[in-house]
Structure formats: C-alpha cells, structure tokens
Amino acid sequence: MLRLPTLFRLLAFAVLIAFLVQPQWFEPLLRPLVQENAPAIYNQGSLLQLTLLHLRTVAIATAGATVVALALAILVTRRSGAEFLPLSRSLVNIGQTFPPVAVLALAVPIFGFGEKPTLIALFLYGLLPIFENALTGLTTLPPSIMEAARGTGMTGRQRLMKIELPLAMPVILAGIRLSVVISLATATIGSTVAARTLGEVIIAGLQSNNLAFVVQGGLIVAVLAVLIHDALQAAERSLGSRMGR
C-alpha cells in the first residue's frame, strides 16, 4: 500500500505532466492572476519543450561537475595527491565566490549568448557540494573494512572501485542531489543570456506584468526540484541500507 507522502508525490508528478502537455486545462485557475484580455497561459513557446531544455542544461552541467569533483576528491584522498587538497578546495570554491550572474557576464563575451555561459555557471556552482561530499565519503570509510581489503591483497585501484566508491556512493549522491536542486533554480537566470530555460516564462511575466506567467515558471521549477530531490534521496537511502551506511 502506498504511503501518503508517496501518493502526494505521484499526484504532483501527474499534475505537472498534465500541465506541461495540456496547460489550457488550468487556465481557469490562473485567470484571476492576469489583467483583462491578457493571456493566462504562457503563449510564447512550448512549456514542455522549455522544461525538457531546462532539465537538459541542468543534467549536462551536473554530469560535468560530478566527473571533475569526483576526480579531484579521489586525487586528494590518495597518498600521492594529498598535498593538492588546498588547491582543489580553492578551485571548487570559485563557483561559490562568484555569483552565477557574474559568471554569465564574464562568459558571454567569450562564448556568446546561449546555453554555453549557463552551462559554465552551473558547472562551477555545482562543484563544491559534490566535492565536499565525495571527500567526506571517501575519508570516513570503516577502517576495519579497508584493512580487510588490504589484507586480501587488493591493489589500490581495486580497493577504490570495489570498496571505497561503492561504500561512499550514498554520501556522494547526497552532494549530487544538492547540486541538482541548486542548479534547477539557478538555471532560470540563463534566459537572461538567451539560454532556453524556464526562466523565459518568468522573464516574460515580469516584462509584461503578467503574474500568471511568473507563477507558472516558478511552480514548474519548484515541483521539479521537489520531485528530483525526493527521487535522489530515495536512491541514497536504498544505497545506504544496501551498503550498511
């Protein structure tokens, strides 16, 4: 039997899909938010297409940040790379030091308008949580398990691939979850530099003083963030219980 929170999530997902596919069904709910004769449903593009493009941008940036952050965490947790920890921390903190808007402003003259500046901003912004969680996961492994792995004659590479990464994966996944949720919200500003994201809907609403557009864009991003957050959290719990962490 499904629990109540699960039912709410399934209902939220169903409503989101229905709104993206048939937004006109929800026009009566949004009509009170607009002035007379103003459109209540975003009419300057497909909400479904913008949502898919938004998710694609977040997925690409998060994948890149995961690869780089995980590689750095592995490097600095090896005996030969421990001295690079301060430098690695400085690198992954760049995204938190510069606001995404500033990164966009610096990237546009080099890469032009479009998706690329947004990808760079999201990539830099997503490095820190993934790196720190990967570092925590790899440095808090049970010593008894690591000693047993060495005692069986495993090489460093074998220990990393068969013991360390699987055991640390729930903690690493928590960092990826945080990075994804941050990127989902931050990606909306990419529309200020002509990236195709749900920020288009919000910006169109602000420019035309159409509150319904702003609500649509904001709610879609919020529901996506909640659903993806919960899905990744469930994956963390599943991995954690399987790995005994």
Side-chain angles (χ1 to χ4, degrees):
M1 184 175 178
L2 292 175
R3 292 181 298 176
L4 194 58
T6 304
L7 287 173
F8 278 126
R9 294 186 187 101
L10 291 174
L11 178 61
F13 180 72
V15 171
L16 175 63
I17 296 299
F19 181 73
L20 293 177
V21 175
Q22 297 290 344
Q24 63 271 16
W25 291 352
F26 299 83
E27 184 173 359
L29 296 175
L30 296 168
R31 176 58 58 186
L33 301 178
V34 299
Q35 300 173 356
E36 189 176 356
N37 297 325
I41 300 297
Y42 182 69
N43 58 357
Q44 300 174 27
S46 166
L47 286 172
L48 177 59
Q49 183 183 30
L50 286 176
T51 300
L52 293 175
L53 290 172
H54 190 104
L55 290 172
R56 186 192 71 172
T57 300
V58 170
I60 294 172
T62 303
T66 300
V67 170
V68 173
L70 191 54
L72 287 174
I74 292 172
L75 172 66
V76 300
T77 53
R78 306 305 98 180
R79 189 172 299 176
S80 58
E83 60 188 84
F84 294 104
L85 177 58
L87 176 61
S88 298
R89 275 216 164 98
S90 298
L91 289 174
V92 299
N93 271 295
I94 290 176
Q96 306 295 323
T97 303
F98 293 96
V101 175
V103 176
L104 289 176
L106 293 172
V108 166
I110 301 173
F111 298 99
F113 289 91
E115 188 180 32
K116 289 181 180 178
T118 306
L119 287 173
I120 293 170
L122 297 182
F123 167 79
L124 292 175
Y125 215 53
L127 284 172
L128 182 62
I130 301 174
F131 174 79
E132 290 295 343
N133 275 57
L135 190 63
T136 300
L138 291 171
T139 55
T140 58
L141 298 172
S144 58
I145 294 179
M146 297 307 298
E147 287 299 323
R150 292 189 186 93
T152 60
M154 280 187 173
T155 64
R157 181 182 179 84
Q158 288 174 328
R159 290 198 302 272
L160 174 66
M161 300 305 296
K162 296 182 178 181
I163 304 295
E164 296 180 57
L165 285 178
L167 285 176
M169 194 52 64
V171 184
I172 296 171
L173 194 56
I176 295 174
R177 169 170 54 85
L178 180 58
S179 179
V180 168
V181 172
I182 292 172
S183 293
L184 277 169
T186 308
T188 55
I189 67 170
S191 293
T192 61
V193 293
R196 300 298 308 279
T197 73
L198 288 165
E200 283 189 20
V201 185
I202 298 172
I203 292 172
L206 293 174
Q207 290 177 338
S208 61
N209 195 28
N210 189 320
L211 182 58
F213 286 5
V214 178
V215 169
Q216 286 167 62
L219 281 179
I220 293 172
V221 173
V223 173
L224 285 173
V226 170
L227 291 176
I228 293 174
H229 174 278
D230 286 351
L232 291 175
Q233 197 169 54
E236 288 168 42
R237 288 195 294 266
S238 176
L239 280 173
S241 60
R242 191 181 304 171
M243 299 299 173
R245 293 198 61 155

